[in-house]
Amino acid sequence: MTDADITVPSGQEITLLDVVMDAPGPDGLTARFRFLAPAIARVGGTVDSEMAAADMQALCQEYVLPRLANTGPTPAQVVVSLSDRSVAFGDADPDATQFFEAYRVEDGNCIWEAF
C-alpha cells in the first residue's frame, strides 16, 4: 500500500509523515504513526474531530496493523495522529490542528484507549 492508497471514511487526503518507535510511552513500547491531514485545519478544514476519530480508527486497523508485523515486538500501545501541517515529533505549534488517539492491539484489532 502506498500513500496514494491510504483511504479513510471521511475521504480526506492522508499522507504518512513518519513512524516513531524509539520514544517509549507510559505503558512501554509505543508505535506512533503520524499522518498529514490538511482537511482537519481549523480554518478552511472540512473534517471535524468526530470524523477524524473515525479516520484514525480506520488508519490503525487498515494501515498500522499490517505494518506492525514487520517492526519486531508488538508495541504495548499504538498512537495514531493527524496534523494539518508537518510538525516535528515532540515540538509544539499552537497554529497546528492535531488529533491523537491511542489504541492497544488485541486479537488482531485496534482497541481505542482514552488518554
Side-chain angles (χ1 to χ4, degrees):
M1 176 182 285
T2 66
D3 285 348
D5 298 327
I6 298 174
T7 59
V8 291
S10 71
Q12 72 171 308
E13 185 175 318
I14 299 281
T15 305
L16 179 67
L17 284 173
D18 61 10
V19 179
V20 178
M21 296 283 290
D22 59 354
D27 295 326
L29 180 62
T30 301
R32 292 173 177 84
F33 283 74
R34 304 174 64 238
F35 295 90
L36 182 63
I40 66 169
R42 286 185 291 267
V43 177
T46 58
V47 174
D48 63 22
S49 61
E50 198 170 299
M51 295 165 70
D55 288 350
M56 288 184 283
Q57 176 72 44
L59 285 166
C60 187
Q61 194 68 39
E62 303 300 326
Y63 188 89
V64 172
L65 286 183
R67 285 156 180 79
L68 287 180
N70 301 326
T71 62
T74 301
Q77 188 174 62
V78 171
V79 176
V80 175
S81 64
L82 301 179
S83 181
D84 70 331
R85 63 193 74 195
S86 183
V87 177
F89 179 73
D91 285 357
D93 181 344
D95 295 326
T97 300
Q98 297 180 305
F99 296 118
F100 302 84
E101 290 291 3
Y103 305 89
R104 73 179 183 280
V105 178
E106 187 175 293
D107 297 325
N109 292 297
C110 288
I111 309 298
W112 177 76
E113 294 188 323
F115 274 110

